[in-house]
């Protein structure tokens, strides 16, 4: 089944403890992206990647890192999480950047709580 | 960054009623998208619009790409309980896809 898989789906952690949210897609998509969803703010883009080894900042990149060493994987790294990073995170992918990038396939989400 | 203004923020309607929501931008968009997010899931694409003035339907859903290219509308006819969810408009901004804040739809049966 074509899908975007995120792990973990739920995580409670403490301030400063490094964590990684993994994202993997099996559709051979070039474009991948991370969003966070907060009440009243919709989905805000954190980082995106147009292809392997190519990443760029979205609208809210502070406090996050990403890497794209392989086409299928796009992990989101929080080096030193803080409570304001408590949110619902979505990974998404698309066949290509440009007009095709608009049709994103989303993962099921990862709910992160930082105490 | 670029913002999309989506309204209303939420709606609580009776089953069978029609629903309208809209999205506006200060910039021109070449594509408008409408996504639906059900509880516990990621957003799923409902309708994509690629031309100004375009009117596209998907079952009971109809979306329009505004003539000015700065707005879009989504209508749901004869709502049913499974229409519950958050509806997002979205549009490409460079290599990014920006989203509105969403319209929360609740349906009373």
């Amino acid at each position: 089944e074509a899908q975007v898989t995120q792990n973990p789906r739920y995580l409670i952690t403490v301030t400063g403890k490094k964590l990684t949210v993994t994202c993997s897609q099996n559709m051979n998509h070039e474009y991948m992206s991370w969003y966070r969803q907060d009440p009243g703010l919709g989905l805000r883009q954190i980082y995106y990647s147009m292809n392997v080894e190519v990443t760029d900042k979205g609208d809210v990149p502070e406090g996050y890192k990403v890497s794209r060493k392989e086409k299928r994987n796009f992990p989101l790294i929080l080096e030193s999480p803080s409570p304001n990073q408590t949110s619902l995170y979505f990974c998404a992918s698309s066949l290509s950047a440009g007009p095709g990038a608009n049709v994103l396939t989303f993962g099921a989400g990862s709910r992160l709580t930082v105490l | 960054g670029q913002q999309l203004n989506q309204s209303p923020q939420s709606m609580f309607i009776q089953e069978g009623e029609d629903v309208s929501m809209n999205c506006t931008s200060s910039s021109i968009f070449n594509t408008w998208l409408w996504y639906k997010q059900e509880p516990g899931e990621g957003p799923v694409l409902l309708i994509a619009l690629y031309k100004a003035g375009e009117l596209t339907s998907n079952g009971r859903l109809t979306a329009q790409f505004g003539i000015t290219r700065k707005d879009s509308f989504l209508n749901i006819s004869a709502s049913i309980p499974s229409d519950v969810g958050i509806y997002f408009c979205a549009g490409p901004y460079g290599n990014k896809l920006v989203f509105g804040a969403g319209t929360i739809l609740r349906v009373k049966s």
Side-chain angles (χ1 to χ4, degrees):
Chain A
E1 183 191 348
Q3 59 186 359
V4 177
T5 303
Q6 301 177 221
N7 281 296
R9 292 288 314 277
Y10 302 92
L11 179 63
I12 300 174
T13 190
V14 295
T15 298
K17 186 176 180 183
K18 180 179 178 180
L19 68 93
T20 299
V21 186
T22 64
C23 175
S24 180
Q25 50 91 5
N26 61 0
M27 298 168 282
N28 202 34
H29 283 175
E30 289 187 349
Y31 184 94
M32 297 186 75
S33 183
W34 276 102
Y35 288 84
R36 60 177 288 174
Q37 182 179 13
D38 302 288
L41 297 176
L43 292 153
R44 294 180 294 166
Q45 193 170 37
I46 303 171
Y47 270 94
Y48 64 94
S49 168
M50 292 177 64
N51 214 324
V52 175
E53 300 292 2
V54 180
T55 63
D56 212 342
K57 295 178 181 178
D59 292 320
V60 289
E62 294 78 21
Y64 304 95
K65 281 174 56 176
V66 292
S67 68
R68 187 91 183 274
K69 295 187 171 60
E70 308 161 281
K71 199 171 189 179
R72 62 184 294 127
N73 296 323
F74 190 45
L76 179 70
I77 303 153
L78 285 73
E79 293 271 2
S80 183
S82 62
N84 64 12
Q85 292 179 296
T86 292
S87 187
L88 179 57
Y89 291 87
F90 287 101
C91 181
S93 73
S94 176
L95 188 60
S96 65
N102 307 326
V103 184
L104 290 173
T105 300
F106 283 82
S110 296
R111 184 166 292 282
L112 171 65
T113 301
V114 183
L115 301 175
Chain B
Q2 172 63 38
Q3 287 186 325
L4 297 181
N5 300 308
Q6 194 171 344
S7 66
Q9 284 187 326
S10 65
M11 306 178 76
F12 191 13
I13 61 166
Q14 187 72 41
E15 182 177 358
E17 285 183 9
D18 295 344
V19 172
S20 289
M21 58 190 79
N22 69 79
C23 196
T24 61
S25 167
S26 56
S27 303
I28 287 173
F29 278 77
N30 293 318
T31 301
W32 282 97
L33 306 165
W34 286 93
Y35 283 82
K36 179 188 178 186
Q37 182 184 23
E38 298 191 0
E41 305 285 334
V44 173
L45 183 68
L46 295 173
I47 293 179
L49 302 158
Y50 298 106
K51 263 198 247 183
E54 181 181 353
L55 190 71
T56 297
S57 293
N58 178 3
R60 293 177 296 104
L61 277 61
T62 302
Q64 183 160 25
F65 192 142
I67 298 282
T68 65
R69 293 163 64 192
K70 291 184 177 182
D71 56 9
S72 180
F73 307 88
L74 177 69
N75 296 313
I76 305 173
S77 61
S79 57
I80 58 178
S82 62
D83 289 333
V84 162
I86 306 177
Y87 292 80
F88 292 102
C89 61
Y93 191 69
N95 288 320
K96 299 187 263 188
L97 188 64
V98 293
F99 285 80
T103 293
I104 301 170
L105 179 63
R106 297 185 182 90
V107 179
K108 194 168 32 173
S109 53

